[in-house]
Amino acid sequence: EYGARAAVPRILRLLDTRGIPASFYVPAVCALLRPDEIRGYAQAGHEVALHGWIHERNSELPAATERELTLRAAETLTRISGTQPAGIRTPSWDFSHATLDIIRELGLRYDSSLMADDDPYEIEAAGQPTGIVEIPVQWIRDDAPYFPVDPARPFTPPRDIGQMWRDEFDQAYAQGGLFQLTMHPHVIGPRSRFVVLEELVDYIAGHHGVWFASHADVASYVRGSAGLAG
């Protein structure tokens, strides 16, 4: 409730004032509960992409159930947002033996759930290229491990995490690579945390030649640069 009520408007204002497109990974049930919010993402020019049906754990489901929920989620997001999802971030970054086949069946252009590199790469299956771009995630660049929902539990001071994210960006910038950040509205939204995100965004924007892009745009760029089919 806090994420939707307080944090999402704060995030959208930040993105709007800085002219930054973002990718919102939305469980389909959240879209059903708050359709106007999801339509607002798309109307503001942001990407709406798959994040499960109700944040289920893919690897604990039978393959047929995972497929049914994912296809249902894709239909729901397409209907509510008015845009067809180009990619997926599986709930909890869980990846079962069936997930890749489902991604291919849906014709998705990219996945963002795996961690095999710092920069995007092409997923292979049985040693063969799939044409699907992986935009890798990393727990280091995720807010959830550092800021537990229960404030009584130990947590890392937000500015310490902000400095680590700056270091991550600095190295990506020096290498001409990708800096990818995963934020949850209900986690990053509180004021003492959000100010760190604002400062990080402004720090990044102060560097020459930086490109802020949605994951779908990154995937299109990688596909074009690598000459991937489809």
Side-chain angles (χ1 to χ4, degrees):
E1 183 70 16
Y2 177 85
R5 182 184 178 90
V8 165
R10 193 169 290 159
I11 291 167
L12 289 174
R13 284 194 298 270
L14 172 65
L15 297 173
D16 179 57
T17 57
R18 272 60 166 193
I20 296 173
S23 300
F24 287 86
Y25 296 89
V26 183
V29 168
C30 293
L32 290 170
L33 291 172
R34 300 189 296 274
D36 288 344
E37 177 187 322
I38 277 59
R39 281 192 284 269
Y41 296 156
Q43 290 166 2
H46 302 301
E47 176 188 8
V48 177
L50 286 164
H51 197 46
W53 174 254
I54 193 169
H55 214 277
E56 64 278 358
R57 294 298 297 265
N58 298 20
S59 61
E60 297 177 2
L61 297 175
T65 302
E66 179 185 356
R67 176 183 179 276
E68 194 274 329
L69 289 176
T70 307
L71 267 59
R72 191 197 307 175
E75 185 279 327
T76 300
L77 286 189
T78 300
R79 174 169 48 83
I80 291 176
S81 72
T83 60
Q84 186 171 349
I88 186 170
R89 173 166 294 152
T90 58
S92 302
W93 301 342
D94 224 13
F95 214 87
S96 79
H97 292 294
T99 303
L100 182 57
D101 287 339
I102 297 168
I103 289 172
R104 299 178 83 171
E105 180 180 351
L106 281 169
L108 300 178
R109 299 200 301 272
Y110 76 89
D111 171 72
S112 186
S113 316
L114 304 177
M115 305 182 185
D117 207 318
D118 296 310
D119 295 316
Y121 56 93
E122 183 179 7
I123 295 177
E124 294 185 353
Q128 298 300 312
T130 64
I132 297 169
V133 175
E134 179 60 39
I135 303 177
V137 290
Q138 174 53 250
W139 289 114
I140 291 172
R141 299 186 306 275
D142 185 301
D143 57 0
Y146 307 109
F147 306 129
V149 174
D150 179 1
R153 291 169 54 193
F155 71 97
T156 308
R159 290 193 180 279
D160 290 353
I161 301 307
Q163 183 57 58
M164 183 180 69
W165 289 338
R166 286 192 183 204
D167 291 343
E168 283 278 321
F169 166 75
D170 285 343
Q171 288 302 301
Y173 184 76
Q175 296 166 16
L178 176 73
F179 174 75
Q180 181 275 342
L181 199 62
T182 301
M183 301 283 98
H184 302 78
H186 64 285
V187 177
I188 199 64
R191 292 163 176 151
S192 63
R193 302 173 187 174
F194 197 77
V195 67
V196 172
L197 179 61
E198 287 183 306
E199 290 174 353
L200 176 66
V201 167
D202 290 340
Y203 175 75
I204 292 171
H207 289 70
H208 175 73
V210 167
W211 177 41
F212 287 95
S214 69
H215 285 59
D217 287 340
V218 170
S220 294
Y221 173 82
V222 171
R223 291 169 69 87
S225 298
L228 303 185

